[in-house]
Amino acid sequence: PPKDILRPMNKHGSFFMGKIITITAGHSNTDPGACNGMHREADKAQDMRNIVAYYLKQNGIEIRTDGEGKGNLALSKAVGLIKGSAVAVEFHCNAANSKAAKGVEALSQIKDKAISQRLCKAVADVMGSPLRGDRGWKPENSGQHHRLAYVAQGGIILELFFISNDEELAIWEDRKWLVGKAVAQVLTEV
């Protein structure tokens, strides 16, 4: 059969033409990020990266990642993966002093506001979480943030849930594969 028949199509009926999606995991073994007991942000971010990578590969999407399994590159190297990507997303978990804080948000440049909102809605729909900010989107300088290297290079930081909220953490553990599938679907449609 012609090669075009074997290539996946997007929802608009056009073929994916060399689109590259970059997905990375925030934090690492040297900087585990926020923690809730034995639960570390770095581990949750790596799980999401691995799950989303699995689904994107199933859809024939070319991906770049900062590692596999429990490894990932330092931020200084992860930002180098962004250039030339249709979209780049780094996964994180939010944390707050109040265990009641919850929700999903994405920090990005204004050019990525719409995709950030779609990503947040996909996560919120699966987890039943509220959207923070402007339907999930926040500029990189919101709150305690000032200038984020990943966002400055054109990527999106997706804060999946509050690791400090025991209820959201339990929902994440129960539904992470569904969350990953929903995120991958949004990225497939970019």
Side-chain angles (χ1 to χ4, degrees), residues 62-177:
E62 184 178 348
I63 64 169
R64 291 182 192 151
T65 71
D66 62 343
E68 295 179 355
K70 291 297 180 187
N72 63 314
L73 298 174
L75 176 62
S76 61
K77 293 189 177 170
V79 297
L81 300 172
I82 296 171
K83 188 175 182 177
S85 301
V87 66
V89 180
E90 182 165 89
F91 301 109
H92 283 265
C93 300
N94 233 328
N97 289 333
S98 169
K99 285 203 165 274
K102 62 183 176 178
V104 57
E105 65 189 30
L107 301 150
S108 71
Q109 296 176 14
I110 190 73
K111 71 176 182 66
D112 292 316
K113 181 177 179 178
I115 183 71
S116 295
Q117 289 172 327
R118 289 197 316 268
L119 287 165
C120 289
K121 183 175 182 333
V123 173
D125 285 352
V126 173
M127 292 193 54
S129 299
L131 294 170
R132 297 170 55 85
D134 180 358
R135 295 183 306 160
W137 178 78
K138 287 187 174 184
E140 69 174 310
N141 63 353
S142 66
Q144 79 274 19
H145 305 290
H146 299 288
R147 184 135 173 93
L148 301 166
Y150 202 84
V151 175
Q153 293 302 312
I156 298 167
I157 293 178
L158 181 56
E159 302 273 6
L160 298 160
F161 64 96
F162 275 78
I163 197 168
S164 53
N165 181 309
D166 296 332
E167 182 182 339
E168 276 201 332
L169 177 58
I171 292 168
W172 158 259
E173 291 297 331
D174 186 51
R175 300 181 187 170
K176 64 184 170 184
W177 278 91

Side-chain angles (χ1 to χ4, degrees), residues 4 7-17 19 188 190:
D4 287 350
R7 287 189 298 166
M9 298 176 86
N10 66 21
K11 71 177 182 177
H12 307 292
S14 57
F15 295 109
F16 295 117
M17 301 294 287
K19 172 177 69 173
T188 298
V190 169

